[in-house]
Amino acid sequence: MNTSQMLAALRAANRVAADALKLGKHPFGAVLIGPDGDEVLMEQGNVNTVKHAETELARAAAAQYEPEFLWQCSLATNFEPCAMCAGTIYWANIGRLIYGVAEESLLALTGSHEENPTMNLPCRSVIESGQKDVAVFGPFAEVEAETLQLHRDFWV
């Protein structure tokens, strides 16, 4: 996947997050991109504090596709995945993770909000603790402003 494809995937994740926001959910979104780097195979908005967009998408993908196929796919999400989500992506055998904005920026927005008690545990640390060589890309300054805008008024 090239940078242009990654940015398009991140913008697709932001559209999913905007749809979640319209439903009163936390504005997080994730998309599963096929091996060609362009086709959106699945998308998922945040459900609640425990059912994160990335986790729900990775579980659904693992139920629908073979592990060998998923290894060729990418999961793109608007914010850096938490430890739970990074672990689920790893176990689902998704070969590439792309995120738009780092967890530190989310923490700056949410503070100690009870619905989003962020963890200072980079997704790369979770992924690198395993035996699979999942590729991780992010953050991307090109999508930071539009991603943060979805969250500015939500956590107030």
Side-chain angles (χ1 to χ4, degrees):
M1 251 180 122
N2 62 42
T3 301
S4 176
Q5 290 172 308
M6 289 185 202
L7 291 172
L10 291 169
R11 289 190 169 102
N14 273 341
R15 286 191 292 279
V16 173
D19 290 344
L21 182 61
K22 289 175 189 169
L23 296 172
K25 307 290 185 182
H26 300 163
F28 298 103
V31 294
L32 182 69
I33 305 296
D36 67 356
D38 293 314
E39 183 182 7
V40 176
L41 301 174
M42 303 177 88
E43 57 183 44
Q44 178 67 54
N46 208 67
V47 178
N48 59 35
T49 303
V50 176
K51 294 181 176 184
H52 296 180
E54 303 92 336
T55 301
E56 296 302 296
L57 180 65
R59 286 182 179 140
Q64 184 169 335
Y65 298 105
E66 293 297 320
E68 296 78 17
F69 178 77
L70 287 174
W71 188 251
Q72 301 171 59
C73 294
S74 304
L75 187 146
T77 181
N78 55 344
F79 272 96
E80 180 175 6
C82 71
M84 174 181 70
C85 293
T88 306
I89 292 163
Y90 174 87
W91 286 108
N93 209 50
I94 297 170
R96 184 180 296 110
L97 167 61
I98 305 158
Y99 68 91
V101 180
E103 185 277 332
E104 293 88 4
S105 296
L106 181 59
L107 176 59
L109 285 174
T110 64
S112 60
H113 197 286
E114 66 184 26
E115 291 182 24
N116 196 47
T118 64
M119 299 176 76
N120 184 17
L121 180 57
C123 67
R124 279 182 174 85
S125 296
V126 175
I127 297 293
E128 290 170 356
S129 296
Q131 299 176 36
K132 300 177 192 177
D133 191 20
V134 175
V136 180
F137 299 89
F140 287 84
E142 297 93 331
V143 297
E144 184 170 6
E146 62 197 81
T147 303
L148 293 176
Q149 188 57 44
L150 289 167
H151 288 258
R152 288 201 198 287
D153 297 330
F154 184 83
W155 300 103
V156 179

